[in-house]
Amino acid sequence: MQTENLLQQLLRKNNMKKNIKLVAATVVAMGLMASPASYAKEIVIKFSHVTTEATPKGKGAMLFKKLVDERLGGKVRVEVYPSSQLYGDKAVLKALLLNDVQLAAPSLSKFSKYTKQWALFDLPFLFKNPQSLNCFTDSPKGQALLGATERKGIKGLGYWLNGMKQISANTPLITPDNAKGLKFRIMSSDVLKAQFEAVDANPQKMAFSEVYNALATGVIDGQENTWSNIRSKKFFEVQTDTTISNHGVLEYALVTNKRFWNSLPTDIRMQLDQIISEVTAEVTQFALDAAVKDMKTVADSGKTNIHTLTDSQKQQWVAAMKPVWAQFEDQVGKDNIAAVQQCNAQN
Ligand code: SIN
């Protein structure tokens, strides 16, 4: 459109014959600016994330870098910045939109500014297990949902699994009553806020990088996260009690700047897409392994008492938290909830 306007101005202001060379030169220059030839230089992809390298996401980022080095070395270079070194999750999405970083993988709970639909993944006790979550994200509905942030300039490239969340505090959390009045750190999600309010607790939105100190100093009483994050961020060292609640899921969206991605030469973009699909499958395996291994590490440390709920105790948590669904079902789509339930039935 800008090219067209410029051409029209040139043609209006000047005699066409006299200026034909100038017009041709302008077209060539503008064509060059927009063409893949501008990528004769190495393409740099900065991947910023908040977990350590020894987590499913951290390993996924490093594997992505390795495969890009092997297959596209010299054309594409990946720089990985783990542990909030470059940006926290809130800032990273702004940086992504400014094209200051090109890849990030925040939790789906952290996108409420860009889409309300991904709140689906925060509904308490919606997903039965990681297999059911994968079943949904692989389904046509799950894949359609991945496009929910595109109109805001953020392109979803894939879902990356972390796993089921557990709940912890400095007191045993056996029934919902035990959570009453306690301050729990949550990610920036209104569903998670409603979930803790449903058990009369006080949810506090807080960046991941601040949670350990907030727990250690008593600014907050408890938290919810996966075994991988509880282990890698040492939350278990500052929480006397951890309950195997499996009450929610932590799932990431691997995202990029839509304009950046679409501007890549087609062959490079296709190879990156292929690498991402291979890495995504590996991340699933890293996450499933981490859930078992990290839970064992936490249990073996002896630093936090691990509680297993009876069926009847678990049902009390479900009864207290599940009413939250009704508050958000229009926003996240009843059809999506039904699709997850179908996956639950199969897994
Ligand atoms: C992450 O796994 O990326 C962090 C999740 C959180 O903020 O709890």
Side-chain angles (χ1 to χ4, degrees), residues 290-322:
V292 177
K293 210 167 136 253
D294 289 332
M295 178 173 142
K296 185 170 174 347
T297 304
V298 171
D300 290 351
S301 76
K303 293 191 170 161
T304 187
N305 300 309
I306 310 259
H307 303 284
T308 306
L309 301 176
T310 63
D311 281 350
S312 120
Q313 287 160 348
K314 178 137 185 185
Q315 278 322 305
Q316 292 185 52
W317 287 93
V318 174
M321 290 181 163
K322 207 170 155 182

Side-chain angles (χ1 to χ4, degrees), residues 50-51 57 89 105-107 110 162 185 187 206-208 211 224-226 229 235 250 252:
V50 300
T51 62
K57 178 159 61 181
D89 272 334
S107 157
K110 297 179 181 174
N162 187 316
R185 177 268 174 170
M187 292 181 273
M206 186 180 284
F208 187 55
V211 180
E224 52 160 17
N225 226 306
T226 58
N229 282 341
F235 298 156
L250 176 57
Y252 306 117

Side-chain angles (χ1 to χ4, degrees), residues 13 60-61 66 71 113 199 203 213 230 270-272 290 298:
K13 280 190 193 158
K66 179 172 173 277
R71 297 182 203 170
K113 234 182 114 188
V199 293
N213 279 342
I230 290 171
M270 283 171 67
Q271 289 188 72
L272 290 174
V298 171

Side-chain angles (χ1 to χ4, degrees), residues 137-314:
T137 53
D138 286 348
S139 73
K141 282 216 176 297
Q143 287 299 302
L145 207 53
L146 189 58
T149 55
E150 280 219 19
R151 63 196 179 86
K152 297 280 170 116
I154 296 176
K155 183 175 172 59
L157 296 169
Y159 292 105
W160 278 12
L161 177 69
N162 187 316
M164 307 302 289
K165 286 184 292 186
Q166 320 302 332
I167 194 170
S168 71
N170 284 318
T171 181
L173 298 168
I174 309 302
T175 60
D177 279 0
N178 302 141
K180 196 171 176 172
L182 299 184
K183 282 183 250 153
F184 284 92
R185 177 268 174 170
I186 54 164
M187 292 181 273
S188 55
S189 153
D190 287 342
V191 178
L192 298 180
K193 184 168 174 280
Q195 166 194 280
F196 278 106
E197 284 169 352
V199 293
D200 295 323
N202 298 318
Q204 318 254 323
K205 293 181 182 174
M206 186 180 284
F208 187 55
S209 56
E210 290 167 20
V211 180
Y212 179 88
N213 279 342
L215 288 171
T217 56
V219 169
I220 46 169
D221 303 305
Q223 64 85 43
E224 52 160 17
N225 226 306
T226 58
W227 289 115
S228 152
N229 282 341
I230 290 171
R231 199 265 318 149
S232 62
K233 296 298 273 189
K234 301 187 174 27
F235 298 156
F236 67 98
E237 294 185 358
V238 285
Q239 295 276 266
T240 56
D241 295 86
T242 305
T243 298
I244 305 175
S245 52
N246 292 321
H247 63 283
V249 297
L250 176 57
E251 178 85 343
Y252 306 117
L254 179 68
V255 288
T256 187
N257 178 309
K258 186 178 167 187
R259 281 177 63 193
F260 162 76
W261 203 251
N262 290 345
S263 75
L264 291 172
T266 311
D267 60 324
I268 291 200
R269 194 170 59 236
M270 283 171 67
Q271 289 188 72
L272 290 174
D273 281 336
Q274 172 58 30
I275 291 173
I276 286 170
S277 90
E278 290 172 35
V279 174
T280 299
E282 290 298 321
V283 170
T284 300
Q285 202 48 55
F286 295 152
L288 294 173
D289 293 347
V292 177
K293 210 167 136 253
D294 289 332
M295 178 173 142
K296 185 170 174 347
T297 304
V298 171
D300 290 351
S301 76
K303 293 191 170 161
T304 187
N305 300 309
I306 310 259
H307 303 284
T308 306
L309 301 176
T310 63
D311 281 350
S312 120
Q313 287 160 348
K314 178 137 185 185

